[in-house]
Amino acid sequence: MKTNLSGVIAPSRLSPLVADGLFIRQDGYYKKYFYADILCIEASGNYCYFYFEDKSRVTVACRLGAVERQLPDAYLVRVHRGFILNLRYVDTWAGNSLRARDRWIPMGDYYRANVLSCFNILDTSRENPRTGDEE
């Protein structure tokens, strides 16, 4: 199912009544998808694939940068030039990859510092925080 979002402009102020999702055009009507249900969005040329928690997928005829501008910053974060990820679903981080549910998503070096700053990470190194020396 393909949807064209060209010409769609994000509102400057979102109403709290409709700020919980995104309407996507499908076969002559617009269907609402909740941000909380989006697992990740993957770029594929001039198209994007929206993957949802229920394992469904919607194809949209729009570049990832245009989709990114339509999304709230809170949880849906660009983690790679080809991926936007809902950070609520991340349960594992290893090297340059993040796992959301059963899917591993690459994390680009450019996005790494921003992505990791969103997580509460307990540092378990043996360095003494007062002196900087290892214990």
Side-chain angles (χ1 to χ4, degrees):
M1 185 175 318
K2 297 178 184 174
T3 302
N4 185 349
L5 290 179
S6 61
V8 175
I9 299 172
S12 59
R13 193 181 98 213
L14 294 175
S15 164
L17 299 176
V18 295
D20 59 350
L22 176 72
F23 283 89
I24 298 176
R25 184 177 170 86
Q26 299 178 339
D27 301 325
Y29 63 92
Y30 289 87
K31 181 176 179 188
K32 184 175 186 176
Y33 292 93
F34 292 101
Y35 296 130
D37 294 336
I38 299 172
L39 182 66
C40 70
I41 305 166
E42 180 179 10
S44 179
N46 290 327
Y47 294 91
C48 288
Y49 300 116
F50 282 70
Y51 294 94
F52 297 94
E53 184 183 20
D54 66 0
K55 301 189 182 196
S56 64
R57 183 181 90 171
V58 173
T59 303
V60 177
C62 190
R63 298 185 70 79
L64 192 61
V67 171
E68 182 180 19
R69 289 187 293 275
Q70 297 283 117
L71 300 173
D73 295 333
Y75 297 103
L76 293 161
V77 176
R78 188 86 173 251
V79 298
H80 185 271
R81 67 185 178 112
F83 287 94
I84 293 172
L85 181 60
N86 188 332
L87 298 181
R88 291 178 179 184
Y89 293 112
V90 173
D91 61 12
T92 304
W93 155 52
N96 286 332
S97 296
L98 300 160
R99 187 177 76 180
R101 297 287 190 240
D102 294 330
R103 183 180 178 129
W104 284 93
I105 306 291
M107 180 172 41
D109 291 336
Y110 179 80
Y111 304 97
R112 184 182 179 88
N114 181 53
V115 171
L116 295 181
S117 72
C118 296
F119 297 121
N120 186 8
I121 301 171
L122 176 64
D123 184 6
T124 58
S125 66
R126 294 187 174 264
E127 184 176 306
N128 185 337
R130 292 186 205 129
T131 64
D133 297 330
E134 290 201 20
E135 294 179 350

